[in-house]
Each structure stands twice: as C-alpha cells, then as structure tokens.
Amino acid sequence: MTKVGIIVGSLRKESVTRKIAENVAELFPSEYETEFIDIGNLPLYNEDIDTEAGAPQEYDEFRSKLNEVDAVLFATPEYNRSMSGAMKNALDVGSRPYGQSKWDSKPALVMSQSPSNLSGFGANHHLRQSLVFLNMHPLQQPEVYIANSFDLIDDDGKINNEGTVEFLQSAVDAFVDLIKQLSK
C-alpha cells in the first residue's frame, strides 16, 4: 500500500483548504492510503531547541510521520502572495537536522486555493520553489490552482462543481503516475 501524507497550510477549523484536501483524499485509488499530518502544533523552527541532545517531541513526531509516507500532497492557501507561515515552518522542521531531510526524493503534489481569481498562484510557486530545493519531485502538470474556492464548497463540505472534481481527479491520476514512475 502506498501512503500519501497530506499537509494543509491553513490551521483554521473550518478551513476551505482543508475541505478541498479532504475531497481530494477521496479521489485516490483504493491501493493508496492517505493521512493528514498536522502542522498546527509545531513550535517555530529553532536550531537552539533542535540539538543532538534532543528535539521537541512535536518535531520528532512530525518527522516520524514523514518517514512513514511515500509521497506528500501539499494544500495551501495564499497569505500575502506566499504560503502560510505554518507551511513554511513545517518545511523547515522536516528538513532538519541538516543532511537528514525527511522530504528528500519524495513525489509531491501542490494545490493552492484562493477566494479570488488568482487561485493562490504566488503560494503555489513559492511552495514549489522550496520543494525543488528540498529535492522533492513536484508534479509538473497539471498545475493545481483553485480560484473562487469559497463558492466551490457546499454546506456538507463537498465540492459542488463537477468540472472541478474532474480536474482534481486528473491531477490525482497524474500524481499517482508520478509516484509509480519514481518508485521503479
């Protein structure tokens, strides 16, 4: 069974980003297991508390979860034309200690959303830039930008636009193909 970790950059309880990611998690084939990996409890990355003598328990637990996944789906809102501070902090925690990055060589799917027409374009590209540096393999096509996202979620938290669901399914299918290619 292939395991895909899902990291959501929004910490809000009723996050639209999380709702979209929950919908996407259901689109994976049955031989894929998805698991949401919480980043809201991670202390800000600080080398002074991440030493050979020990690290915060939250860092250790997060890194352990990353060790267990074969690929990562990143779902991010756009904050000030970039990813959220919580997402950037998670990238930093997972990349340390130096030389022991938990991100290394993993396939990645980046999805961004925004209530505006810009679709989280800036967040998507900033996140991709970091993933390339971390030696991850982000899916190139299709790029996943979701515009007017607040209008896409119904009262039950489901995506209400069939065209959007079909597009997201095509992205998941391409991501599964990438995971298979990289696991050979």
Side-chain angles (χ1 to χ4, degrees):
M1 172 106 25
T2 302
K3 192 166 185 180
V4 177
I6 301 175
I7 297 180
V8 177
S10 175
L11 304 181
R12 289 185 324 109
K13 184 191 260 183
E14 292 299 317
S15 163
V16 170
T17 306
R18 177 170 292 281
K19 289 177 183 177
I20 291 170
E22 289 168 349
N23 280 263
V24 172
E26 297 173 6
L27 301 176
F28 280 86
S30 60
E31 63 272 15
Y32 282 72
E33 177 185 352
T34 58
E35 178 184 355
F36 282 80
I37 301 173
D38 183 37
I39 62 173
N41 64 340
L42 292 174
L44 288 176
Y45 185 74
N46 179 345
E47 282 186 78
D48 290 342
I49 62 172
D50 189 19
T51 67
E52 289 182 22
Q57 179 179 348
E58 296 90 349
Y59 288 8
D60 291 339
E61 290 172 357
F62 179 69
R63 292 168 178 158
S64 177
K65 286 190 180 284
L66 292 179
N67 275 337
E68 297 170 5
V69 301
D70 303 296
V72 183
L73 184 158
F74 293 93
T76 185
E78 183 165 283
Y79 290 16
N80 301 313
R81 298 286 186 259
S82 189
M83 68 188 105
S84 68
M87 181 70 81
K88 178 62 170 83
N89 187 53
L91 293 176
D92 293 343
V93 171
S95 72
R96 297 289 190 258
Y98 184 78
Q100 298 176 38
S101 175
K102 305 306 180 198
W103 307 113
D104 191 46
S105 298
K106 293 185 192 247
L109 172 59
V110 177
M111 301 183 335
S112 60
Q113 69 79 22
S114 171
S116 75
N117 286 330
L118 291 178
S119 322
F121 179 86
N124 194 301
H125 282 260
H126 282 179
L127 181 50
R128 285 173 173 273
Q129 182 179 4
S130 293
L131 300 184
V132 169
F133 177 80
L134 294 170
N135 198 36
M136 293 190 82
H137 302 283
L139 178 69
Q140 299 303 308
Q141 293 295 326
E143 294 177 294
V144 183
Y145 309 104
I146 303 169
N148 304 306
S149 57
F150 288 19
D151 298 331
L152 293 174
I153 303 297
D154 67 20
D155 292 339
D156 296 322
K158 297 295 183 188
I159 296 175
N160 61 20
N161 180 293
E162 190 58 38
T164 300
V165 173
E166 290 171 7
F167 170 69
L168 292 171
Q169 183 66 68
S170 74
V172 167
D173 293 346
F175 187 42
V176 165
D177 288 344
L178 176 66
I179 294 167
K180 288 177 183 176
Q181 288 173 3
L182 294 172
S183 67
K184 291 180 182 177

